[in-house]
């Protein structure tokens, strides 16, 4: 890992946040693939004021930063990440009902908790998210979805935090596509999503719970459970399924080191032990190549590479 922060910069950075900065800790502990080299500085912020001061520091010192959510859709390099890796602390985990149909969720809260909170409050829409192990903020950035549902359909506003403090972005200013928030690039490096507001539909809590259970059952049947993965590795090409395409190439069980195409679902690349990011990358390359050769389809990666 390249080192960017001088010892003086490190001292200054620590003064900006209450929690101790973790220096050079392996990110494998913070990703669902259990892969990833050290973060030069792993900084947990508890509110927008702390976040704003770190973003200001990063800009003044020209230090790159990224925000890590639950780490469930990311492949972190074995070399690790130079600069600042931000995490949102417990201060960003609130779940709050506002009025009849609105829910505000901190970006660091997780989808299963949000889904359950909505169910308990008789609010329908996010049942599909009950089994997605990601953070609410991350779910917006990738427009997470399952079973015909997607986050974008229910978002009414985003809470953002930048150097100048908090601001709200209404849904009318948000553009989404399949597994993508199209404005992410425009905001990158300037703000972080710190909260998400949803407008939902009122329904009977028991009916909502039944749908959640149905989705969970389908997930248990069709996807590897307990496996160390980042979920679907490739996006589905229009009108088809990456899992089906990979499966028909006979690739289930294919391995590079400890990275393997899951025998349960061909679009899950799983870490069965000590897989490295290089193993996963090579396995993904072989998969893409085979699918291109056999089906003439270029698979696009869903999992982000850092
Ligand atoms: N299939 C195979 N072989 C396989 C896997 C799937 O033939 O190894 C076939 C299935 O039989 C089915 C079709 O492919 O006919 C689609 O499979 P599945 O129902 O499992 O859904 P998917 O398209 O692979 C998508 C999302 C999942 C989401 C499920 C459930 C993408 C890339 N993936 O998977 O999302 O949970 O639908 O709705 O859109 C994720 O994004 O990380 C994720 C897990």
């Amino acid at each position: 890992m390249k080192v960017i922060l001088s010892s003086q910069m490190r001292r200054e950075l620590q003064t900006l946040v209450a929690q101790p900065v973790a220096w050079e800790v392996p990110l494998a502990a913070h990703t669902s693939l259990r892969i990833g080299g050290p973060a030069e500085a792993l900084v947990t912020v508890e509110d927008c004021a702390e976040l704003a001061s770190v973003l200001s520091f990063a800009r003044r010192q020209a230090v790159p930063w990224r925000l890590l959510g639950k780490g469930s859709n990311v492949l972190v390099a074995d070399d690790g990440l130079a600069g600042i890796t931000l995490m949102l602390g417990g201060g960003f985990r609130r779940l709050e009902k506002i009025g009849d149909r609105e829910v505000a969720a901190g970006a660091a809260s997780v989808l299963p908790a949000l889904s359950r909170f909505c169910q308990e409050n008789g609010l329908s829409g996010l049942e599909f998210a009950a089994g997605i192990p990601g953070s609410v903020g991350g779910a917006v950035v990738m427009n997470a979805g399952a079973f015909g549902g997607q986050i974008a359909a229910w978002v009414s506003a985003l809470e953002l935090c930048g150097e100048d403090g908090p601001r709200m972005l209404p849904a009318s200013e948000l553009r989404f596509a399949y597994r993508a928030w199209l404005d992410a690039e425009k905001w990158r490096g300037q703000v972080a999503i710190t909260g998400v507001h949803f407008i939902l539909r009122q329904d009977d809590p028991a009916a909502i719970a039944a749908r959640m259970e149905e989705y969970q059952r389908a997930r248990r049947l069709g996807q590897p459970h307990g496996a160390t993965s980042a979920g679907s590795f490739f996006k589905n090409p229009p009108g088809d399924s990456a899992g089906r395409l990979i499966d028909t190439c006979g690739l289930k069980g294919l391995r590079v080191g400890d990275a393997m195409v899951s025998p349960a679902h061909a679009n899950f690349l799983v870490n069965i032990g000590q897989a490295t990011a290089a193993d996963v990358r090579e396995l993904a390359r072989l998969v893409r190549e085979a699918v291109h050769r056999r089906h003439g389809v270029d698979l696009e990666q869903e999992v982000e590479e850092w």
Side-chain angles (χ1 to χ4, degrees), residues 73 142 145-148 178-179 219 222-223 230-236 240-244 247 252 262-268 302:
N73 197 53
M142 66 167 297
F147 308 110
Y178 166 64
R179 290 295 192 275
R219 204 179 276 280
Q223 295 179 5
S232 292
F233 199 83
F234 298 101
K235 296 182 185 182
N236 283 338
D240 210 334
S241 146
R244 190 192 73 79
D247 195 357
K252 280 182 171 172
S262 166
H265 192 301
N267 196 21
F268 282 60
E302 179 189 294

Side-chain angles (χ1 to χ4, degrees), residues 147-195:
F147 308 110
Q150 53 175 7
I151 283 286
W154 304 98
V155 172
S156 60
L158 298 186
E159 293 172 14
L160 306 176
C161 173
E163 266 186 63
D164 305 333
R167 62 181 289 176
M168 292 284 277
L169 207 56
S172 57
E173 288 178 43
L174 305 173
R175 297 172 311 133
F176 291 99
Y178 166 64
R179 290 295 192 275
W181 175 34
L182 298 172
D183 310 304
E185 209 43 56
K186 171 178 150 195
W187 294 103
R188 196 182 301 279
Q190 297 178 58
V191 297
I193 296 175
T194 49

